[in-house]
């Protein structure tokens, strides 16, 4: 059976060999063509693996083609006439080229595909290949992906963490679990081999027992038991030198004295640190040096160093006032050194020098290097804080003397102004046109428009009288209603005013000489400086600076009654204001601002200004912040929840501050003074109590001219728009938008 099988194999193999050799020749030609063009057309994507895959595919194709050829031949053989020979189909199907068992080495040695040897791989940086394989073909560098490919690979490839690059071929190699575990253990400073016991029992390589039969029985050399002659000569010379005293032996180390005593170690300091007392000796701080004399100290200085009369006067004035001087003496000129007198302050200078030496610093301190820019707070830019007034849009001319007071109608349509020329004018805000003029017969100290929109009423303070005038402008129904309400005296039959009030205030109707439109006249016993309304429009307060303990009056319009809230004079009252929300009254005297509760009739707070003279006061619409202007060039911001001292003092003016005002809707406030300067600032008050108000000056407005050392007398904000109205001593009223 074996011989038959052998015979059949021998008979079959020639046909297969023929077909295989023909196909191999054809494939070889194709491969030669590919190889010839591979240098030019190969991308960097091709690699060893791709070549191997191509070889496998070609082998499969060859086997398939071989099988089809044999089938075709068998079909042709069937068609031919003649004796039919049966051929086993199984043999034709299983005819495959036999694999060479030496092509693949399954030993444990590393499969080195790159044959360049142990040379640096970076020598191939400039080439498109990285080395050569066993057949001598170039190994192409793999295609390098960009950062996006790397990121996608890291996100999507679960084996990214255990993939390393083979430097010899440039290929990505996925580590096995065992290799990855060894790498992880090595990176965490552990033993690479898992389960290895470092502290196990030591297995001795050689036995510690002395055996009778040694491992090597080499006889000992002769010099191992004969004394050395040259060493004997050396020792003899040393003994002779010690005897003659030429050579001294080393003293024996006394081990007992060192080890017997207890050893001490430094606990808090290292041994190389020097004690602080010794440091002063080793690292002395030199005494401050005296300044060397210059040309001005000379007995015959150059003429440019001698003082002129003006410089001498300023030097003497600075000496008297204790200001800083350029020199502590006046340079003198003498013709010769003999004529120089004794130095008058010699003993004082020597004493101060002794103090310098005695009080010289004995310690080095690190100075903090702080740049001035770090100390400036980071404020927002003014452009980011718009809107605020920047330009003068309208100038209203008509008064012949300084304008002391302004007031805007609650809706913002009209503007009233009072002047020292004895007139009051009402202007249209949009056009700047003068609509009406009243001759008041005296200097108009204050005008105030009633905040109640149901009434068309202005309070005008002239000398000792406060006129309540119906303007007759605007809605006719409102004007007629105002005349009806205030035309007749209310019924006060059961009311008897106190003697203090009746002697000081008198309510009457209009007289013949009173200005047109006058409905009520309130006559006081002294000159009235200011009139201010309550937010509801029924009460108004008047200030009489010379009234002493009757300096402030609160009047009720609907009942024609007055009251004196204070029985004692707490200083000369400058101005008063009602709180916009709560029943409180702010009274500003020369140096303090007092806040009174009108319901409990008691003092709730006293604000310490530290100023010499308060000129004006303004309250924030929320009622928790106050502005005061002073005649000593300061604007003070108070936070009532914080302290009774100023939260911030703003020095924007070079002369007396005449007026300060808050805007009712926008986070803006302004101040004006005798330096013809109106400063507009951004003042944001936050609802968060932990956050401080933000105060940023945003614009300076110039436009008024000085008149008898008076500048801008008063300012007023528009009720709804970010517009500012200012009046000056030049008699002009300006609208800034």
């Amino acid at each position: 059976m074996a011989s038959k099988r052998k015979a059949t194999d021998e008979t079959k193999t020639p046909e297969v060999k023929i077909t295989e050799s023909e196909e191999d020749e054809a494939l070889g030609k194709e491969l030669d063509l590919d190889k010839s063009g591979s240098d030019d057309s190969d991308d960097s994507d091709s690699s060893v693996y791709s070549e191997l895959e191509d070889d496998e595919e070609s082998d499969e194709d060859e086997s398939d083609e071989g099988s089809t050829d044999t089938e075709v031949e068998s079909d042709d053989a069937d068609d031919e006439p003649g004796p039919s020979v049966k051929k086993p189909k199984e043999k034709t199907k299983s005819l495959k080229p036999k694999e060479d068992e030496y092509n693949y080495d399954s030993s444990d040695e590393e499969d080195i595909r790159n044959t360049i040897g142990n040379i640096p791989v970076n020598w191939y940086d400039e080439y498109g290949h990285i080395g050569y394989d066993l057949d001598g073909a170039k190994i192409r560098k793999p295609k390098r992906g960009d950062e996006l490919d790397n990121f996608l690979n890291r996100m999507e490839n679960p084996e990214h963490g255990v993939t390393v690059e083979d430097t010899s071929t440039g290929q990505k190699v996925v580590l096995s679990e065992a290799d990855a575990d060894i790498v992880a253990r090595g990176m965490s400073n552990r033993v690479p081999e898992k389960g290895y016991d470092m502290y196990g029992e030591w297995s001795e390589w050689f036995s510690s027992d002395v055996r009778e039969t040694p491992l090597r029985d080499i006889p000992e050399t002769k010099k191992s038991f004969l004394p050395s002659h040259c060493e004997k000569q050396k020792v003899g010379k040393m003994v002779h030198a010690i005897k003659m005293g030429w050579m001294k032996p080393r003293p024996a180390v006394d081990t007992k004295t060192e080890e017997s005593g207890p050893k001490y170690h430094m606990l808090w300091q290292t041994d190389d640190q020097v004690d602080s007392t010794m440091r002063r000796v080793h690292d002395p701080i030199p005494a401050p040096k005296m300044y060397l004399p210059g040309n001005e100290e000379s007995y015959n200085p150059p003429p440019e160093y001698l003082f002129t009369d003006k410089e001498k006067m300023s030097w003497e004035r600075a000496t008297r006032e204790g200001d800083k001087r350029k020199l502590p003496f006046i340079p003198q000129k003498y013709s010769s050194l003999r004529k120089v007198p004794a130095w008058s302050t010699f003993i004082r200078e020597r004493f101060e020098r002794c103090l310098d030496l005695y009080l010289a610093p004995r310690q080095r301190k690190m100075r903090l290097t702080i740049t001035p820019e770090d100390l400036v707070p980071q404020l927002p830019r003014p452009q980011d804080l718009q809107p605020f007034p920047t330009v003068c849009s309208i100038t209203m001319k008509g008064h012949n003397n300084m304008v002391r007071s302004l007031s805007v109608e609650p809706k913002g349509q009209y503007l009233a102004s009072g002047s020292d020329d004895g007139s009051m004018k009402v202007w249209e805000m949009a056009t700047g046109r003068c609509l009406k003029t009243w001759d008041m017969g005296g200097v108009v100290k204050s005008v105030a428009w009633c905040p109640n929109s149901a009434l068309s009423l202005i309070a005008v303070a002239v000398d000792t009288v406060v006129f309540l005038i119906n303007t007759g402008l605007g809605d006719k129904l409102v004007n007629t209603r105002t005349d009806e309400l205030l035309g007749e005296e209310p019924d006060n039959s059961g009311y008897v005013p106190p003697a203090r009030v009746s002697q000081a205030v008198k309510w009457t109707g209009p007289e013949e000489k009173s200005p047109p439109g006058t409905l009520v006249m309130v006559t006081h016993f002294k000159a009235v400086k200011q009139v201010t309304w309550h937010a509801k429009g029924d009460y108004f307060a008047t200030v009489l600076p010379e009234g002493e303990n009757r300096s402030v009056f609160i009047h009720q319009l609907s009942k024609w009654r007055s009251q004196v809230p204070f029985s004692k004079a707490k200083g000369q009252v400058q101005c008063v204001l009602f709180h916009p929300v709560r029943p409180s009254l702010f009274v500003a005297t020369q140096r303090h601002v007092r806040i009174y509760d009108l319901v409990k009739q008691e003092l709730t707070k006293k604000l310490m200004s530290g100023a010499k003279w308060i000129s004006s006061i303004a309250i924030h619409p929320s009622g928790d912040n106050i502005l005061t202007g002073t005649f000593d060039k300061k604007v003070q911001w108070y936070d009532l929840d914080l302290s009774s001292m100023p939260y911030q003092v703003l020095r924007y003016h070079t002369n007396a501050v005449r007026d300060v005002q808050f805007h009712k809707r926008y986070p803006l406030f302004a101040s004006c003074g005798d330096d013809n300067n109106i400063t507009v600032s951004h003042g944001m008050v936050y609802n968060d109590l932990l956050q401080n108000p933000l105060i940023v000056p945003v614009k300076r407005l110039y436009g008024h001219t000085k008149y008898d050392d008076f500048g801008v007398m008063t300012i007023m904000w528009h009720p709804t728009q970010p517009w500012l109205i200012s009046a000056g001593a030049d008699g002009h009223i300006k609208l800034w938008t």
Side-chain angles (χ1 to χ4, degrees):
M1 288 294 287
S3 61
K4 278 183 185 179
R5 213 176 270 169
K6 202 172 187 183
T8 54
D9 288 344
E10 281 171 4
T11 56
K12 288 291 171 186
T13 45
E15 285 182 18
V16 177
K17 275 185 181 173
I18 289 161
T19 57
E20 278 183 359
S21 62
E22 286 171 4
E23 286 171 0
D24 283 344
E25 283 174 14
L27 282 169
K29 285 175 184 177
E30 287 176 8
L31 289 170
D32 287 340
L33 284 170
D34 290 342
K35 279 185 180 177
S36 65
S38 65
D39 291 341
D40 301 328
S41 63
D42 260 12
D43 289 340
S44 59
D45 295 344
S46 64
S47 66
V48 176
Y49 298 136
S50 59
E51 287 172 10
L52 291 172
E53 285 165 7
D54 293 341
D55 292 342
E56 286 172 7
E57 286 170 5
S58 63
D59 290 342
E60 287 171 7
D61 295 341
E62 282 170 12
S63 63
D64 293 340
E65 284 173 9
S67 62
T68 52
D69 288 345
T70 50
E71 283 170 8
V72 169
E73 282 173 7
S74 64
D75 291 340
D76 293 340
D78 290 340
D79 294 340
E80 287 176 6
S84 60
V85 181
K86 284 188 180 179
K87 296 174 185 178
K89 286 182 182 178
E90 293 171 5
K91 286 286 179 183
T92 57
K93 280 184 184 176
S94 63
L95 279 174
K96 251 190 179 180
K98 193 177 181 183
E99 287 186 359
D100 187 4
E101 60 179 318
Y102 298 109
N103 277 347
Y104 175 72
D105 186 10
S106 62
S107 66
D108 292 337
E109 293 178 4
E110 189 179 355
D111 185 19
I112 300 172
R113 297 183 298 278
N114 199 345
T115 60
I116 58 173
N118 191 13
I119 66 165
V121 184
N122 57 9
W123 288 4
Y124 286 89
D125 284 351
E126 298 175 2
Y127 299 99
H129 61 284
I130 202 168
Y132 303 91
D133 61 4
L134 293 169
D135 298 331
K138 292 178 181 178
I139 300 176
R140 290 284 170 187
K141 289 183 181 175
K143 188 177 180 183
R144 297 282 180 190
D146 56 3
E147 287 295 326
L148 185 61
D149 294 335
N150 187 20
F151 174 73
L152 290 173
N153 187 26
R154 193 164 68 243
M155 290 293 114
E156 296 173 358
N157 187 4
E159 295 178 342
H160 177 79
V162 291
T163 306
V164 296
E165 186 179 344
D166 185 1
T167 53
S168 62
T169 62
Q171 297 295 327
K172 302 285 184 183
V173 180
V174 180
L175 296 176
S176 64
E177 284 189 15
D179 293 343
D181 188 45
I182 287 172
V183 171
R185 292 178 71 85
M187 287 177 70
S188 59
N189 293 333
R190 288 185 291 172
V191 180
E193 187 181 343
K194 197 172 183 180
Y196 179 76
D197 186 11
M198 292 176 64
Y199 308 105
E201 289 187 6
W202 177 257
S203 57
E204 293 184 348
W205 190 259
F206 294 105
S207 173
S208 57
D209 301 333
V210 180
R211 303 298 173 115
E212 292 181 2
T213 307
L215 288 173
R216 323 182 304 153
D217 196 9
I218 302 170
E220 290 182 354
T221 59
K222 190 178 179 183
K223 66 179 178 183
S224 65
F225 54 86
L226 279 180
S228 172
H229 183 62
C230 60
E231 284 183 2
K232 183 183 177 184
Q233 283 182 330
K234 280 184 183 178
V235 173
K237 285 181 181 179
M238 285 182 186
V239 171
H240 179 63
I242 290 170
K243 281 181 181 177
M244 298 299 291
W246 304 333
M247 188 177 175
K248 289 185 179 179
R250 290 177 188 167
V253 180
D254 191 6
T255 53
K256 290 182 181 178
T257 53
E258 276 193 0
E259 294 176 359
S260 58
K263 282 191 175 183
Y264 298 103
H265 300 277
M266 301 292 284
L267 187 61
W268 301 113
Q269 268 185 325
T270 54
D271 294 336
D272 56 352
Q273 282 183 342
V274 189
D275 190 18
S276 58
T277 54
M278 293 301 292
R279 193 188 289 116
R280 188 186 292 180
V281 178
H282 294 303
D283 189 17
I285 298 172
K289 291 182 178 179
M290 286 188 70
Y291 291 110
L292 295 173
N295 286 330
E296 55 272 352
E297 273 96 344
S298 172
Y299 74 92
N300 189 13
E304 62 265 19
Y305 285 93
L306 297 172
F307 280 5
T308 60
D309 291 339
K310 190 176 179 182
E311 287 176 336
K312 196 171 182 179
M313 285 173 65
S314 66
W315 187 90
E316 288 172 352
R317 182 180 55 78
T319 307
R320 283 196 306 272
E321 294 179 3
D323 291 345
K324 197 174 182 181
R325 301 169 301 178
K326 192 177 178 183
L327 293 171
F329 60 91
I330 299 174
Q332 301 285 344
K333 192 176 180 74
Y334 299 99
S335 57
S336 65
L337 195 58
R338 289 182 290 106
K339 296 184 179 179
V340 177
W343 184 237
S344 56
T345 58
F346 175 73
I347 295 172
R348 181 179 180 82
E349 273 192 5
R350 291 298 93 198
F351 176 68
E352 286 180 353
R353 176 63 181 164
C354 291
L355 284 182
D356 286 346
L357 296 173
Y358 158 59
L359 299 172
R362 294 284 182 260
Q363 193 176 4
R364 292 188 192 274
K365 285 190 178 179
M366 291 298 293
R367 267 189 191 165
L368 286 174
T369 53
I370 299 172
T371 55
E373 289 79 15
D374 296 342
L375 299 173
V376 178
Q378 295 296 320
L379 296 175
R381 296 184 306 157
Q383 289 86 346
D384 302 338
L385 304 175
Q386 288 177 336
F388 53 82
T390 53
V391 292
C392 177
S393 298
I394 299 173
T395 302
M396 306 171 200
K397 299 179 181 178
H399 288 291
N400 302 324
N401 208 327
M402 70 168 67
V403 180
R404 286 189 183 270
S405 181
L406 293 172
S407 183
V408 184
E409 188 221 2
K411 293 177 183 175
Q413 189 177 358
Y414 304 114
L415 169 73
S417 62
S419 170
D420 279 13
D421 59 3
S423 67
M424 182 192 74
K425 293 177 184 287
V426 174
W427 313 77
E428 191 177 27
M429 189 77 79
T431 59
R433 198 161 53 93
C434 181
L435 300 176
K436 272 193 176 183
T437 304
W438 284 266
D439 184 12
M440 305 304 297
V443 174
V444 179
K445 290 289 180 72
S446 179
V447 294
W449 214 296
C450 180
N452 189 352
S453 57
L455 298 174
S456 174
L457 198 65
I458 294 181
V460 186
V462 181
D463 198 19
T464 60
V465 184
V466 175
F467 295 96
L468 298 175
I469 300 172
N470 185 354
T471 57
L473 297 169
D475 193 349
K476 288 184 178 179
L477 290 173
V478 174
N479 293 332
T480 52
R481 194 186 302 125
T482 304
D483 288 338
E484 288 171 4
L485 285 171
L486 299 175
E488 296 180 1
E489 185 179 348
D491 184 19
N492 284 327
S493 55
Y495 171 71
V496 178
R500 288 185 72 222
V501 178
S502 59
Q503 292 169 5
V505 182
K506 187 181 179 186
W507 290 72
T508 56
E511 297 176 356
E512 291 181 4
K513 294 180 181 179
S514 56
T518 304
L519 299 175
V520 182
M521 291 169 59
V522 185
T523 311
H524 299 73
F525 76 110
K526 294 283 183 184
V528 179
K529 182 187 176 185
Q530 184 207 2
V531 179
T532 181
W533 286 90
H534 188 267
K536 295 288 178 65
D538 190 25
Y539 289 90
F540 64 95
T542 54
V543 175
L544 291 67
E546 299 170 3
E548 294 179 355
N549 61 349
R550 289 182 286 184
S551 296
V552 180
F553 284 88
I554 296 176
H555 310 280
Q556 190 177 3
L557 180 63
S558 57
K559 295 184 178 178
W560 286 24
R561 293 180 186 178
S562 303
Q563 54 183 327
V564 183
F566 309 117
S567 57
K568 288 183 182 178
K570 296 286 180 68
Q572 191 176 1
V573 179
Q574 300 300 308
C575 51
V576 297
L577 274 180
F578 288 100
H579 194 284
V581 184
R582 292 191 285 271
S584 299
L585 184 69
F586 292 79
V587 180
T589 56
Q590 279 188 2
R591 300 201 175 195
H592 306 290
V593 177
R594 291 177 173 85
I595 305 170
Y596 294 94
D597 192 325
L598 295 174
V599 176
K600 297 179 180 177
Q601 297 183 0
E602 63 182 14
L603 176 70
T604 57
K605 201 159 197 176
K606 182 180 178 182
L607 305 179
M608 317 296 290
S609 70
K612 294 178 182 175
W613 199 305
I614 294 174
S615 63
S616 53
I617 183 173
I619 304 173
H620 192 269
S622 66
D624 292 330
N625 294 271
I626 292 179
L627 273 180
T628 59
T630 65
F631 285 124
D632 45 358
K633 314 174 194 176
K634 289 184 287 190
V635 176
Q636 295 172 326
W637 179 296
Y638 292 90
D639 192 338
L640 298 183
D641 297 331
L642 195 66
S643 168
S644 60
M645 301 299 288
Y647 162 67
Q648 213 158 4
V649 179
L650 314 172
R651 293 177 173 85
Y652 298 150
H653 296 272
T654 57
N655 214 323
V657 178
R658 288 278 169 186
D659 199 7
V660 289
Q661 290 292 336
F662 273 112
H663 199 289
K664 288 183 179 177
R665 287 195 180 181
Y666 291 90
L668 295 170
F669 68 92
S671 59
C672 66
D674 286 343
D675 53 357
N676 288 331
N677 162 25
I678 304 167
T679 302
V680 180
S681 302
H682 176 89
M684 174 63 82
V685 177
Y686 299 97
N687 292 328
D688 184 8
L689 294 175
L690 297 175
Q691 197 166 1
N692 290 329
L694 176 67
I695 301 170
V696 185
V698 290
K699 189 68 181 173
R700 249 185 193 163
L701 305 173
Y702 291 99
H704 291 278
T705 54
K706 269 198 173 187
Y707 181 78
D708 284 350
D709 286 341
F710 292 111
V712 185
M713 300 300 293
T714 182
I715 50 175
M716 184 67 66
W717 287 101
H718 192 278
T720 56
Q721 300 293 332
W723 299 347
L724 186 68
I725 306 106
S726 64
D730 52 2
H732 296 166
I733 301 166
K734 291 181 182 290
L735 174 65
W736 307 86
T737 58

